[in-house]
Amino acid sequence: MRPAEAEGEVPYTRGGGRLPEETVPGRGLDGEAAHLQAGRSETRRISYARTFVRVLPALLLVIGGVYDYVTPRPYTAVPLFTAAPLVAAPLLSRRATILTGIASVAVVLGLHIRYGTVLRVDALTELVTVATVAVLAVLINVLVRRSHARLDSAWKIAEAAQRAVLPEPLGRIGGFDIAARYEAAQADAFIGGDLYAVQDSPHGVRLVVGDVRGKGMGAVGAVAVVIGAFREAAEQEATLQGVAERLERALTREAARRDGVEATEGFATAVLAELPPGDGVVRILNRGHPSPLLLCADGTVRPLPAREPALPLGMGDLGAGPARVEESRFPDGATLLLHTDGLSEARDAHGRFYDPAARLAGRTFRGPGELLRALAEEVRRHSGGGMTDDMALLAVRRPSPDVTGRTPSA
């Protein structure tokens, strides 16, 4: 009996296991091809839409000019000539907006010259109307560009904040290949209550992935506190229990600074892992967090659930005792995947959860980065682009030694 089966864990395999191949949505060659085709179709639709938007002002001018040319004089296409610069204002550059406005006035003037009605009151009214709208369109374009500049500045500040609070780990730490990824549920958002960190220490490589209760800047502040405490504790504490206790105390101090509900209900789910050098094992301490997954080199996926569930960080006083550290084999070529519930609780249009263990069974990836990219894309497709929770992913692979018995270098 293999260790996983002895511990009561049921691995996911390609030929059998908990979920047969034919029941896993989007699996197999047909499923993968369908996903790729859907992605290409979406890309083409976006490209077509962008092209249409760019040519729309010119199209309005052409349609308006043709309409005015072929219809009797009482019929006019002035609404189309005024719409053209207004459409260009928020969508095109300032130069393109100015040229569209000039073109609108020129087309109207040319039509009245053709009819010999330039000096008539209605013709002058149309010319003044189109010229006024063209000027307003340029002003709108200027305001839109300034707003875009402010948003771009805020975007860069948010990106800098993310890199400061959640810096991307090095690709190789302590002999392990590592990748991390943060996917915000809200488009163009960066950081929230999810967190990850990796720290090399005298006791091995230590990792944490967690989810702080709450949203907004309060959650971001708590994330910074947890990560700062983890980096210090990972270096100094001899055990994962000691690291968890330091995080608990840090969260308690942070909660004491807050008012209202945050002062009494501040907590964070977290899973901590330790990879001792050369032992081929992983030690895991789970504080109310989704279970990590072990992806073996042969495509087998093995969940690593806590046999004795523990309360989240910040709620330790309510438990019976300290959480238990559990040890599992971490063979060469295997990848340890830690994630927040934004991955496992992503729903599709029918309310079905994304099951990472089932979806990853039987698949292999060239490295942790490729694994995380595939997961992020699949979750976005599964949820239709409408994720309801942030998602933090951390993957660590133990490289396989080459034929000489040496572990490949980065």
Side-chain angles (χ1 to χ4, degrees), residues 13 32 81 101 116 119 123 152 221 235 240 250 266 280 291 295 319 334 405:
T13 60
E32 295 298 329
F81 299 135
L119 299 180
D152 184 62
E235 288 277 353
L240 281 184
S291 301
L295 285 63

Side-chain angles (χ1 to χ4, degrees), residues 140-358:
I140 292 172
N141 180 271
V142 171
L143 294 176
V144 169
R145 294 297 160 188
R146 288 180 180 175
S147 297
H148 286 175
R150 286 194 292 269
L151 287 174
D152 184 62
S153 177
W155 185 87
K156 291 178 179 177
I157 292 172
E159 184 179 24
Q162 181 192 35
R163 290 174 177 171
V165 176
L166 287 178
E168 188 170 341
L170 297 175
R172 194 172 182 84
I173 299 177
F176 297 93
D177 298 327
I178 296 176
R181 191 179 183 103
Y182 193 102
E183 291 286 326
Q186 187 177 4
D188 298 327
F190 281 92
I191 53 177
D194 289 10
L195 63 97
Y196 60 78
V198 183
Q199 185 71 29
D200 199 1
S201 77
H203 314 285
V205 176
R206 286 175 167 174
L207 314 98
V208 64
V209 167
D211 188 354
V212 173
R213 178 192 175 278
K215 301 289 184 182
M217 293 307 298
V220 174
V223 165
V225 168
V226 171
I227 292 179
F230 169 77
R231 294 198 182 282
E232 182 178 1
E235 288 277 353
Q236 299 175 357
E237 296 292 338
T239 64
L240 281 184
Q241 288 99 332
V243 176
E245 289 170 4
R246 291 275 288 270
L247 299 187
E248 185 106 35
R249 292 195 294 270
L251 273 176
T252 301
R253 289 194 301 269
E254 175 67 11
R257 299 191 307 104
R258 302 190 183 188
D259 298 324
V261 174
E262 296 295 336
T264 56
E265 297 185 11
F267 63 87
T269 66
V271 60
L272 293 94
E274 180 179 273
L275 306 173
D279 284 355
V281 300
V282 56
R283 300 183 186 121
I284 294 175
L285 189 152
N286 197 321
R287 297 293 298 268
H289 199 76
S291 301
L293 299 175
L294 186 65
L295 285 63
C296 298
D298 62 358
T300 301
V301 178
R302 180 155 60 94
L304 302 177
R307 290 190 291 271
E308 296 180 9
L311 293 174
L313 298 170
M315 302 176 67
D317 292 342
L318 304 178
R324 176 182 174 184
V325 174
E326 300 177 8
E327 188 172 287
S328 300
R329 290 184 60 250
F330 188 17
D332 294 335
T335 300
L336 180 68
L337 173 64
L338 291 78
H339 61 89
T340 57
D341 56 11
L343 175 68
S344 55
E345 295 184 3
R347 295 175 182 262
D348 63 10
H350 303 287
R352 292 189 294 260
F353 289 115
Y354 181 87
D355 186 346

